[in-house]
Amino acid sequence: AQTVTQSQPEMSVQEAETVTLSCTYDTSESNYYLFWYKQPPSRQMILVIRQEAYKQQNATENRFSVNFQKAAKSFSLKISDSQLGDTAMYFCAFMATTSGTYKYIFGTGTRLKVLA
Amino acid sequence: DTEVTQTPKHLVMGMTNKKSLKCEQHMGHRAMYWYKQKAKKPPELMFVYSYEKLSINESVPSRFSPECPNSSLLNLHLHALQPEDSALYLCASSSYEGGPYGYTFGSGTRLTVV
């Protein structure tokens, strides 16, 4: 069975600094997708970045980048030049399709607070 | 239009009431989802509709009744709820069920059952 683990329940970072949120997962699938979602206090979950497992190149979206280590089953999110608006809950998610059915699993989340 | 719109944003209902949550998207997505989220927890999948047909029901109590009248609209009918059903209810859509591009979420309905 697939699992997603976020070992950091809460983190804080100073504005303009860099922070890394960790995510590990367990799967026997070879083809899958990984996602980071951001949920600010406004409640709406927003897709931040996605990674296809068959791509070795780490995904990047502006100040957000991932460190995808397939062998280690690790998918960390790096936020550069942190801004107050980055304060949110961050969820790592895993998706794989097996025999026509799919599994979409969220981690438990990391609450990030950006300090002024 | 790249949004999922949910109404109402807040709902307070008694345990004997009947109410409905509404979700709408105009992105041409063919899969739509209902999630329940408790405070500081990840979303929990309730239902999946694929091409307007119920694809997944995660053993949700019958007091929750989903409906997909067309490809753009998803409803969740509520009846005889319990206080423990108080939560944030999120609607999401994706290009297709199991699609690799992630979900687009609405901003949710905060439901309080009194």
Side-chain angles (χ1 to χ4, degrees):
Chain A
Q2 291 90 347
T3 59
V4 177
T5 301
Q6 294 180 249
S7 59
Q8 305 150 314
E10 293 189 2
M11 295 186 73
S12 62
V13 62
Q14 288 295 135
E15 198 175 6
E17 297 289 305
T18 295
V19 63
T20 299
L21 281 58
S22 68
C23 173
T24 59
Y25 59 93
D26 191 21
T27 184
S28 57
E29 301 293 334
S30 58
N31 191 26
Y32 50 87
Y33 300 87
L34 296 160
F35 308 88
W36 278 99
Y37 287 90
K38 168 186 176 181
Q39 188 176 34
S42 62
R43 313 181 318 205
Q44 185 170 11
M45 288 189 68
I46 302 163
L47 178 64
V48 174
I49 200 164
R50 61 184 284 274
Q51 175 79 41
E52 297 153 338
Y54 60 86
K55 286 189 175 180
Q56 292 186 334
Q57 187 173 3
N58 289 326
T60 299
E61 289 287 344
N62 300 314
R63 297 182 296 108
F64 299 88
S65 61
V66 299
N67 183 3
F68 174 49
Q69 301 288 329
K70 189 171 183 177
K73 296 180 181 175
S74 172
F75 182 60
S76 60
L77 175 70
K78 185 172 83 171
I79 306 174
S80 304
D81 185 24
S82 297
Q83 300 176 359
L84 296 177
D86 295 332
T87 293
M89 194 78 165
Y90 287 82
F91 292 99
C92 178
F94 167 97
M95 198 276 288
T97 303
T98 306
S99 302
T101 63
Y102 76 96
K103 281 289 184 184
Y104 207 107
I105 302 168
F106 286 93
T108 52
T110 296
R111 183 171 299 279
L112 176 68
K113 187 169 185 178
V114 179
L115 306 172
Chain B
D1 188 350
T2 58
E3 288 187 343
V4 172
T5 303
Q6 287 189 247
T7 55
K9 294 196 181 307
H10 302 273
L11 178 63
V12 179
M13 61 184 291
M15 289 189 283
T16 59
N17 290 160
K18 286 185 180 181
K19 296 287 184 182
S20 296
L21 309 184
K22 179 180 173 182
C23 173
E24 196 164 6
Q25 58 89 13
H26 296 287
M27 295 176 283
H29 287 176
R30 302 315 301 268
M32 296 184 76
Y33 311 80
W34 280 116
Y35 278 87
K36 174 183 178 180
Q37 187 180 28
K38 290 282 199 179
K40 299 185 180 181
K41 298 290 187 182
E44 299 172 19
L45 183 64
M46 299 176 71
F47 302 104
V48 180
Y49 272 83
S50 177
Y51 290 86
E52 299 153 55
K53 294 191 187 310
L54 184 63
S55 172
I56 295 176
N57 176 344
E58 290 286 356
S59 303
V60 178
S62 60
R63 57 185 183 269
F64 294 92
S65 176
E67 178 195 21
C68 189
N70 59 58
S71 60
S72 299
L73 191 56
L74 185 66
N75 297 321
L76 186 62
H77 303 297
L78 314 173
H79 174 54
L81 294 192
Q82 303 297 310
E84 59 265 29
D85 297 321
S86 298
L88 180 66
Y89 288 83
L90 292 166
C91 176
S93 69
S94 64
S95 51
Y96 55 92
E97 188 178 1
Y101 300 107
Y103 294 163
T104 302
F105 281 89
S107 57
T109 294
R110 175 78 64 193
L111 174 67
T112 303
V113 181
V114 298

